[in-house]
Amino acid sequence: MSKLSGSKKAAQFTESVIREMTRLNTFHGGVNLAQGFPDFPAPLDVKEAACAAIRADVNQYAVTWGAPPLREAVARQFTQRFGVPIVPDEQVTICCGSTEAMIATMMAIVDPGDEVVVFEPFYENYGPDAILSGATPRYVTLHEPDWTFDPDELAAAFNEKTKAVIINTPNNPTGKVFTREELEAIAVLCRKWDAIAISDEIYEHIIYDGHQHIPIATIDGMSDRTVTINSLSKAYGVTGWRVGWTISPPSLTVAIRKVHDFLTVGAAAPLQEAGVVALGLPDTYYTKMASDYQRRRDTLMAILEQHHFRCFTPRGAYYIMADISQFAFSDDVAFARYLVKDVGVAAVPGSSFYKDPAKGRTKLRFCFCKRDETLEEADRRLAKLMLPAAERVH
Ligand SMILES: Cc1ncc(COP(=O)(O)O)c(C=O)c1O
């Protein structure tokens, strides 16, 4: 076989379906409810801080594992919110978004043959992350409508080869917020099998109806075996800045920093300065953000339900999983393509969130981190989607 081909590793996963939907959406001039990025402005003070940093010539490499003021701000915020002491010099590593934070963590802690437990439906990066780091993923299903897991199924996924479990709370795509009892059940297994929890908490501030975000690092005995992953992307609406971080026990930090160094050297220096301002925003910023998102959630749920989708109410994050079985499409991907091409609204096929695509065939994910006008436009376009019309296309 010619050597002018990609690696076996790269052949094991496909292009991101979410990014593909965004591309199709641009091509067809649709309303993008596929990719989770806000179409409204980021906080002014944070943008001003970035501009000021560039003008002040903070334009060269920052310290590889992160500018000290940002690492301190990350540690301070986590300790203030959750009461867990964090030493920035030993525990915080700034990366290029939580995307890099996750792959750097996986490559730093996993050896080929190690197993990593992944809840599904999952954020689509975790599969390729596992492949690239040589891990064997073990999937545990979150069952609708509440997206709970069966404790026996979870226990069966752990064994002596388990190196880590990936948790994402609040969860993309389901909006599930893991409860204390659930996190305790996971913690028991981590302690039993000496496994690490890698917890993606980038939606921690986007939470509804009085639900509470609990980091697994706060559960008894877990701060020493948890890597918490977060970023500026979602909390401050700056997904294009690519600034994220890990908070890890010192025993894992050295390895994470080494991998991070050779993957990217470091995150954008002026944007790290602006990150300090972002993390210093008052509590009222977060309260308003969450209530604004809750309003958008209610708006999009009402729109989708009016257009015959059955929605699972998200408790956090900014996505709605919707059931599409009533449209009589056998294939969620064909439905998503039809929706973007003929109706003009992009969503993500449910199958892209499951190891076994069959489990997601009756679902689509819509995001609502959008202006009211955008959601209203989606509403207008979805009017084309009448049940009989959808059946005709099929
Ligand atoms: C659960 C989850 N983790 C990570 C990311 C990527 O975040 P970042 O922009 O920080 O790389 C996303 C983006 O949608 C996400 O939903």
Side-chain angles (χ1 to χ4, degrees), residues 195-386:
I196 296 163
I198 308 175
S199 189
D200 178 341
E201 301 181 7
I202 74 164
Y203 297 101
E204 64 162 320
H205 297 287
I206 304 176
I207 200 155
Y208 314 121
D209 308 324
H211 289 284
Q212 205 201 342
H213 170 65
I214 304 171
I216 193 165
T218 63
I219 304 287
D220 250 9
M222 289 306 289
S223 61
D224 287 348
R225 53 174 69 254
T226 298
V227 180
T228 306
I229 287 179
N230 212 323
S231 90
L232 298 181
S233 289
K234 310 291 174 172
Y236 310 100
V238 288
T239 58
W241 282 17
R242 319 306 307 130
V243 178
W245 55 86
T246 57
I247 302 175
S248 50
S251 59
L252 300 178
T253 303
V254 177
I256 292 172
R257 285 182 176 177
K258 277 195 292 188
V259 175
H260 157 70
D261 186 3
F262 289 105
L263 279 179
T264 63
V265 177
L271 304 183
Q272 293 193 48
E273 297 282 312
V276 179
V277 173
L279 271 86
L281 289 173
D283 287 351
T284 47
Y285 168 78
Y286 300 101
T287 323
K288 178 164 183 331
M289 178 182 58
S291 71
D292 285 350
Y293 275 126
Q294 185 163 321
R295 190 180 44 76
R296 291 185 184 105
R297 176 199 67 174
D298 295 343
T299 303
L300 186 60
M301 292 250 309
I303 291 172
L304 291 174
E305 279 168 0
Q306 195 198 325
H307 295 291
H308 313 292
F309 292 91
R310 281 195 291 266
C311 299
F312 298 97
T313 308
R315 295 172 174 169
Y318 47 48
Y319 307 94
I320 296 172
M321 275 289 241
D323 188 295
I324 53 168
S325 42
Q326 61 280 25
F327 291 103
F329 267 79
S330 57
D331 186 336
D332 59 319
V333 177
F335 189 24
R337 292 214 167 106
Y338 155 73
L339 206 59
V340 68
K341 190 166 160 282
D342 295 340
V343 177
V345 174
V348 182
S351 56
S352 60
F353 303 106
Y354 288 89
K355 164 72 177 144
D356 171 7
K359 289 188 183 165
R361 284 284 177 239
T362 55
K363 298 180 184 72
L364 281 190
R365 189 202 73 176
F366 293 85
C367 69
F368 54 85
C369 46
K370 305 293 171 188
R371 287 172 297 146
D372 289 348
E373 303 88 280
T374 309
L375 298 179
E376 282 159 18
E377 182 57 27
D379 186 18
R380 270 191 292 278
R381 293 183 182 215
L382 285 168
K384 277 197 229 158
L385 177 71
M386 307 298 281

Side-chain angles (χ1 to χ4, degrees), residues 16 18 34 47 131 138 155 157 162 190 215 235-236 262 266 300 352 363:
S16 155
I18 298 177
K47 291 189 290 195
I131 292 164
R138 295 284 303 257
T162 309
C190 287
Y236 310 100
F262 289 105
L300 186 60
S352 60
K363 298 180 184 72

